[in-house]
Amino acid sequence: MSRIRAPQEAAAGLFLIALALFTFWQTSDLAIGTMRALGPGMMPKVLGSLCGICGIALIGFSLIKDGAALERWSIRGPLFILGAAIVFGLAIRPLGLFVAGPACVILGSLAARDSRLIESAIFGVAMTLFCWLLFKVLLTLPIPVAPWLLGY
Amino acid sequence: MKRTFAAFALAAATVVAASSASAQNYPTRPITMVVPFAAGGPTDVIARIVGEHMSKTLGQQIVIENVAGAGGTTGTTRAAHAAPDGYTIMMGHMGTHGAAPALYPKLRYDPAKDFAPIGMAAGTPILIVARKDYPAKNLQEFVARLKTEQDKANEAHAGVGSVSFTTCTMFNVMNGIKPTRVPYTGTGPVINDMIGGKVDYACDQIVNLVTQIQGGNIKAYAIATPERSPALPDVPTTKEAGLPNYQVSAWNAVFAPKGTPQAIVDKLNDALVKALDDAGTKKRLLDLGGVLPTGEERTSAWLGQYVQQEVARWTPILKAGGITAE
Amino acid sequence: MDSFLGNLELGFTVALSLQNVALCFAGCLIGTLVGILPGVGPIATIAILLPLTFQVDPTGALIMLAGIYYGAQYGGSTTAILVNIPGEATSVVTTLDGHQMARQGRAGIALGIAAIGSFFAGTVATLVIAALGAPLTKLALIFGPAEYFSLMVLGLAFAVVLARGSILKAGAVIFVGLLLSTVGTDLQTGDERLTLGLIDLMDGIDFAVLAMGLFGFAEILRNLDNPETRDVVQAKIGRLLPGKEEFKQSYKPVLRGTILGGILGILPGNGAVLGPFASYTLEKKLAKDPSRFGKGAIEGVAGPESANNAGAQTAFIPLLTLGIPPNAVMALMVGAMTIHGIIPGPQVMTKTPDLFWGMIASMWLGNLMLLIINLPLIGVWVRLLKVPYRLMFPAILLFCCIGIYSINNHAGDVLLTAFFGFAGYAFYKFGFEPAPLLLGFVLGKLMEEKLRQALILSRGDFATFVTSPVSAGLLLVAFVVIVIAVLPSVRRGREEAFQE
């Protein structure tokens, strides 16, 4: 491990190589085409290769130059923030804004250590009402509000 | 607190019960019209013009919801699977309900079976246009020249699945021409490069082209309808110009999901017909170069069988053109 | 043809009618308020508010829509500065230095210079349109696929310069952005590329989804990881408006940005997007101390914002003179005009001169209104920044989700944004910057389309890119820009290696 003098660069490089391989796998059935008529596979494969080359270069540099260390990845943040967004996405059409809104706010607020549940709940309801007024009433956007209760 | 909540729940329940009750009261809340294309395009414009008047007849606002994607099939799929209660309808067109089955093998809806047809709204005639200094004086010369040039000629279209693509496929197959097809994203760039003289010809809806032709930036060889358009009186019809079999118009029509009660379908059809009869609405549609349906063409039944006809028409043509989208 | 002054006089008579002034004001106000919401950019705003304009006559409707457009543009810049979320492609550059300025307590100055620079740019652009509108369209027609491709390559060169850190990583991340732009249905064959069979990806990735995820969500995640620096404003809030010192630093970037943005905006096909990037690159290269860029250099806001606004105005030229919308927003305007019975095209100028000149005059009016509306609002926004982060970030989260959903009424878009939020977080851990990726993404689609078209038209001959003088010239400039960008790093690398 001590041979890698720039762990962040190495990780970045690995990511790029993985992306390149993924691209090649997904586009294996697309034609490259000819110079007269570039096929659908040409750009992705060329770009995938370029990413892969950059990845190799990064790993190369990480062995000979000092660089930043890899930071720790937190679990709490991504889990609750992204979870909140996912919950919103899944809930908005069947359950509407009145459910998805507070859920998003409350769930999202759990990502911060200093959030308080009651405060977030009240804030969530308040924010949802504000959004309803702004988006639904004022701007007449077709956002589902509460299909299970009001039918729209 | 409990009492207020109970009262609220009761009121809400009543509202729900009432609104889902009978078609007699339809509509009791706003109706969503799905337009499977981006706002501002021909189908969207027609939907908004027609929808505005229909709102007045029905007494409830028709809200346009743009769900663009995959040549219009994304929005159409969404509308096909919506609840058949008359509160979700859509504006489909020749592409989504005619050509789509041939272009998209994995299509998730059947234009004939998954929809209850409401009525035809307006058609936009197709024009055969070319860059202004293309060396041919009329349609006959044009086709003859294309036959000799074959793949030296450059035909522009707005992407696989677009109206300009499908209608020109038909034109090419019909005349035995195999030009080099240059794809663009949308009609704007097509027109731009045609004015700039970089591509040779295209087949597109009159709406997009009328001012360019009037301004002399591009030239039109023919219009693919039985009669000349009042917006472009100097452009001969394909019948007059020697290609009578090329009759295409990018029709736009209103659909509801299959299973929508007949009473609601009739109400919507009635509102649509009233919109088409209204002087103001009519004028706006005609100014666009639109062609309005007459007599029997305005009924739901006619639309139903027209859809089946169109699907049957486009499938062999597009297969002959050798292109399917996946 | 009437005189230049005569036309302007006609225009102002139309624009200054009580009704039209009111509509202009209403449009700007609503546009700004809605544009500030992350995710709801000008396109969504105009689409939403279109029905409101039906009650009015066509000229009035267009004036209002134009007001909404500028308002939404400026609102997008406001979000970029305050919370590091670009409202649309043109505000990405503003996030680089604008947000850093906000963190240093200079949000008011950033917002102020953006507003003032935009007003200046708008004024100049309006005069240019009035005087040279018709001849300038010829410029747009010179650009065919080959020229466009070279322009995009130049844009990518700018993206490299944009990078704050390692050039290699910037290049890599640009390639990733280009790669992401290929996701979707192939233009020519209809094949699905990299869509993983998901219906939501069939039309490619929406810019807002990518921007919201990589900037918005990832930024929140980043802030949560660093509780010490997460409060947006750490220093005391300083002066609210730019002072003499800031004006001195900014006036030249504003001038340069106006020219760059104005020229690029005329080119159909979203040339306007390049304006801010070109301006930023130019300012960074011309500055005495380029290392200030990315850390809150006011030139990095003044130039791009002016370019932004100049481009937004000149983008109307192809629309008003040729009837060809240069981008999606203008396409909406075309739709709006059509609904009102005006078919845009070469004759709009001659057949309905009061519409044409009235619109141009009200463009300037709109710029003035934006200044009047926004300068007082700066105080409000800056106070808003003091809201405790634990309440602010869930609110931002909710706004982003609603905004994303309302673009296409697609729940799947929200899920996709969450994915990119995670990707953005990963990028941050790997040391990648999101801004060049976004630029690569925006340019990628157009670049590939133009490349393929050019090769089809030239029947496979690559010489087409050098035989055209415009194209060759652009490629040359791109090459020079990249060399200038790479040279310092190479020199530094040699020095470091030497010191080892």
Side-chain angles (χ1 to χ4, degrees):
Chain A
M1 254 310 150
S2 55
R3 267 192 306 147
I4 301 181
R5 291 158 70 169
Q8 198 189 52
E9 309 270 296
L14 275 172
F15 166 76
L16 286 171
I17 294 179
L19 183 64
L21 290 172
F22 176 75
T23 307
F24 273 101
W25 171 47
Q26 282 293 315
T27 59
S28 54
D29 57 340
L30 291 175
I32 294 193
T34 61
M35 274 305 125
R36 295 187 61 152
L38 293 183
M42 173 69 92
M43 278 295 255
K45 288 185 182 162
V46 165
L47 290 167
S49 320
L50 287 169
C51 286
I53 295 174
C54 287
I56 296 176
L58 276 174
I59 294 186
F61 278 119
S62 76
L63 295 173
I64 54 177
K65 265 174 54 167
D66 282 324
L70 257 187
E71 289 179 25
R72 247 187 63 246
W73 290 43
S74 93
I75 299 190
R76 191 185 177 120
L79 181 69
F80 285 113
I81 298 283
L82 303 176
I86 293 176
V87 164
F88 182 90
L90 293 173
I92 182 74
R93 286 190 71 85
L95 298 173
L97 184 63
F98 282 174
V99 172
C104 179
V105 172
I106 296 174
L107 201 58
S109 69
L110 290 174
R113 278 171 213 284
D114 59 339
S115 61
R116 304 162 214 157
L117 195 56
I118 307 287
E119 181 191 63
S120 305
I122 300 176
F123 186 61
V125 173
M127 272 273 101
T128 303
L129 281 170
F130 174 70
C131 287
W132 172 69
L133 275 171
L134 179 60
F135 289 101
K136 192 77 192 166
V137 176
L138 188 61
L139 295 177
T140 65
L141 278 178
I143 299 180
V145 175
W148 48 278
L149 184 65
L150 302 167
Y152 66 89
Chain B
M1 192 54 163
K2 267 210 201 133
R3 280 241 207 98
T4 333
F5 179 75
F8 174 70
L10 188 61
T14 322
V15 169
V16 172
S19 61
S20 57
S22 53
Q24 257 96 2
N25 300 338
Y26 172 88
T28 54
R29 52 182 166 85
I31 302 165
T32 304
M33 182 185 288
V34 173
V35 173
F37 297 98
T43 308
D44 178 71
V45 168
I46 292 177
R48 285 180 197 270
I49 293 178
V50 157
E52 196 194 327
H53 192 272
M54 282 173 78
S55 303
K56 294 195 196 127
T57 314
L58 292 167
Q60 284 285 343
Q61 183 70 25
I62 293 201
V63 178
I64 305 282
E65 192 176 310
N66 297 89
V67 186
T73 55
T74 311
T76 313
T77 310
R78 162 92 70 92
H81 296 139
D85 56 6
Y87 289 101
T88 310
I89 56 180
M90 72 163 290
M91 180 69 79
H93 83 348
M94 178 195 87
T96 57
H97 283 73
L103 286 175
Y104 299 96
K106 297 203 206 110
L107 197 62
R108 291 175 211 211
Y109 63 86
D110 180 320
K113 298 207 184 85
D114 291 336
F115 289 95
I118 305 284
M120 179 72 74
T124 48
I126 299 296
L127 288 162
I128 304 168
V129 292
R131 61 179 164 87
K132 69 170 182 267
D133 29 349
Y134 192 80
K137 285 201 260 351
N138 54 45
L139 188 62
Q140 307 263 26
E141 279 185 34
F142 177 63
V143 173
R145 202 188 158 89
L146 287 178
K147 279 193 176 139
T148 51
E149 286 200 343
Q150 287 299 336
D151 68 352
K152 286 210 198 52
N154 293 315
E155 176 227 321
H157 64 83
V160 173
S162 66
V163 167
S164 46
F165 176 79
T166 44
T167 51
C168 245
T169 307
M170 180 169 163
F171 179 75
N172 295 337
V173 166
M174 201 179 253
N175 290 302
I177 320 170
K178 285 205 172 75
T180 302
R181 308 191 80 176
V182 190
Y184 287 80
T185 34
T187 327
V190 169
I191 299 179
N192 200 53
D193 273 6
M194 191 168 288
I195 299 181
K198 305 222 164 35
V199 286
D200 294 318
Y201 77 100
C203 317
D204 203 355
Q205 304 175 60
I206 191 174
V207 181
N208 305 323
L209 303 167
V210 80
T211 46
Q212 304 303 339
I213 299 171
Q214 286 170 342
N217 287 333
I218 56 182
K219 67 178 169 194
Y221 281 116
I223 188 169
T225 46
E227 277 156 28
R228 295 198 180 195
S229 165
L232 292 168
D234 295 330
V235 177
T237 66
T238 45
K239 218 188 317 185
E240 291 169 349
L243 202 63
N245 287 335
Y246 191 64
Q247 297 292 327
V248 202
S249 111
W251 50 269
N252 298 278
V254 184
F255 296 89
K258 165 186 72 169
T260 307
Q262 188 61 38
I264 295 184
V265 168
D266 291 337
K267 256 200 179 166
L268 287 167
N269 175 276
D270 177 67
L272 178 62
V273 168
K274 286 207 171 73
L276 295 176
D277 280 336
D278 169 62
T281 311
K282 222 160 130 174
K283 177 170 189 312
R284 275 149 108 197
L285 289 172
L286 289 174
D287 280 344
L288 286 176
V291 167
L292 300 180
T294 51
E296 208 215 332
E297 293 167 353
R298 312 208 292 185
T299 61
S300 322
W302 184 88
L303 178 63
Q305 54 95 12
Y306 188 65
V307 166
Q308 291 176 335
Q309 256 180 285
E310 284 285 283
V311 173
R313 169 157 87 138
W314 286 108
T315 309
I317 293 177
L318 290 170
K319 293 241 163 72
I323 314 272
T324 49
E326 242 143 280
Chain C
M1 194 63 173
D2 306 348
S3 72
F4 169 67
L5 282 176
N7 288 329
L8 273 185
E9 201 191 311
L10 170 65
F12 273 108
T13 324
V14 174
L16 286 173
S17 80
L18 197 59
Q19 182 208 276
N20 288 341
V21 170
L23 287 172
C24 188
F25 182 77
C28 289
L29 187 61
I30 302 179
T32 310
L33 291 177
V34 176
I36 287 185
L37 302 167
V40 186
I43 301 180
T45 316
I46 294 180
I48 296 163
L49 298 170
L50 197 56
L52 289 179
T53 65
F54 283 153
Q55 325 299 336
V56 194
D57 69 283
T59 312
L62 280 174
I63 288 180
M64 185 169 171
L65 283 173
I68 296 173
Y69 176 46
Y70 308 136
Q73 281 250 324
Y74 188 69
S77 303
T78 310
T79 341
I81 293 174
L82 294 180
V83 283
N84 205 26
I85 301 179
E88 41 145 44
T90 43
S91 353
V92 172
V93 180
T94 316
T95 61
L96 295 174
D97 280 82
H99 187 61
Q100 292 306 315
M101 286 178 73
R103 286 184 161 256
Q104 293 159 9
R106 297 158 66 205
I109 300 177
L111 289 168
I113 202 71
I116 296 172
S118 295
F119 176 69
F120 175 79
T123 312
V124 171
T126 308
L127 288 171
V128 165
I129 296 179
L132 298 173
L136 279 177
T137 18
K138 303 257 186 346
L139 185 68
L141 293 176
I142 300 180
F143 271 72
E147 288 80 7
Y148 262 109
F149 175 74
S150 307
L151 185 65
M152 298 295 129
V153 172
L154 183 59
L156 288 184
F158 292 150
V160 173
V161 175
L162 225 53
R164 281 179 263 200
S166 133
I167 300 273
L168 179 58
K169 275 192 179 160
V173 106
I174 291 174
F175 292 137
V176 176
L178 287 170
L179 186 61
L180 283 176
S181 79
T182 64
V183 174
T185 311
D186 180 66
L187 198 56
Q188 185 149 24
T189 60
D191 289 324
E192 281 188 29
R193 302 198 292 188
L194 297 174
T195 59
L196 306 174
L198 293 169
I199 197 175
D200 286 318
L201 288 178
M202 265 177 80
D203 247 350
I205 304 172
D206 208 277
F207 171 83
V209 165
L210 196 59
M212 222 39 61
L214 287 182
F215 275 82
F217 288 8
E219 170 85 0
I220 295 178
L221 289 173
R222 207 178 334 179
N223 283 336
L224 289 173
D225 264 5
N226 301 316
E228 329 78 52
T229 55
R230 76 176 194 190
D231 280 313
V232 178
V233 178
Q234 303 152 256
K236 230 183 61 155
I237 296 180
R239 253 178 302 118
L240 277 182
L241 287 178
K244 228 166 75 166
E245 179 61 37
E246 282 90 17
F247 274 121
K248 240 176 65 172
Q249 286 179 304
S250 312
Y251 80 91
K252 283 205 202 126
V254 166
L255 271 169
R256 293 190 280 254
T258 307
I259 299 176
L260 270 177
I263 296 179
L264 288 170
I266 301 176
L267 305 173
N270 241 346
V273 161
L274 288 177
F277 294 98
S279 168
Y280 191 87
T281 310
L282 188 64
E283 297 310 320
K284 192 168 172 180
K285 283 304 146 194
L286 289 177
K288 289 201 194 73
D289 180 13
S291 66
R292 284 187 305 122
F293 278 74
K295 302 203 188 90
I298 197 170
E299 298 93 325
V301 176
E305 277 299 307
S306 310
N308 204 352
N309 211 37
Q313 309 259 243
T314 53
F316 274 97
I317 293 184
L319 176 68
L320 289 175
T321 52
L322 276 182
I324 301 176
N327 57 39
V329 180
M330 292 298 148
L332 265 183
M333 294 283 200
V334 169
M337 288 169 98
T338 325
I339 294 180
H340 285 281
I342 304 166
I343 318 238
Q347 283 121 325
V348 167
M349 203 155 53
T350 41
K351 275 203 208 146
T352 47
D354 32 312
L355 175 81
F356 185 77
W357 295 109
M359 258 214 85
I360 293 185
S362 95
M363 276 185 201
W364 182 80
L365 214 58
N367 276 290
L368 183 64
M369 299 242 182
L370 275 179
L371 202 63
I372 297 176
I373 294 174
N374 281 294
L375 286 180
L377 280 180
I378 291 181
V380 174
W381 303 134
V382 170
R383 303 261 183 289
L384 216 56
L385 288 182
K386 294 226 105 177
V387 168
Y389 198 64
R390 69 171 186 281
L391 287 179
M392 189 143 91
F393 82 83
I396 297 178
L397 191 59
L398 183 60
F399 280 129
C400 284
C401 287
I402 297 182
I404 293 282
Y405 175 77
S406 64
I407 296 176
N408 252 329
N409 299 301
H410 244 152
D413 285 343
V414 180
L415 301 176
L416 204 56
T417 312
F419 170 74
F420 283 117
F422 179 69
Y425 183 65
F427 278 13
Y428 160 62
K429 293 293 180 193
F430 291 140
F432 287 129
E433 291 167 69
L437 187 149
L438 229 46
L439 181 52
F441 176 76
V442 166
L443 294 180
K445 282 205 166 93
L446 205 54
M447 217 169 116
E448 182 185 7
E449 181 191 335
K450 295 301 165 191
L451 176 66
R452 288 166 87 169
Q453 282 168 2
L455 285 177
I456 290 178
L457 287 172
S458 74
R459 306 294 189 269
D461 189 7
F462 268 99
T464 180
F465 296 113
V466 262
T467 45
S468 147
V470 174
S471 170
L474 290 169
L475 285 176
L476 192 62
V477 176
F479 180 69
V480 168
V481 168
I482 295 187
V483 166
I484 297 183
V486 172
L487 222 47
S489 323
V490 173
R491 229 181 289 140
R492 229 186 302 130
R494 289 221 201 97
E495 285 172 14
E496 279 176 22
F498 190 63
Q499 281 166 2
E500 290 253 312

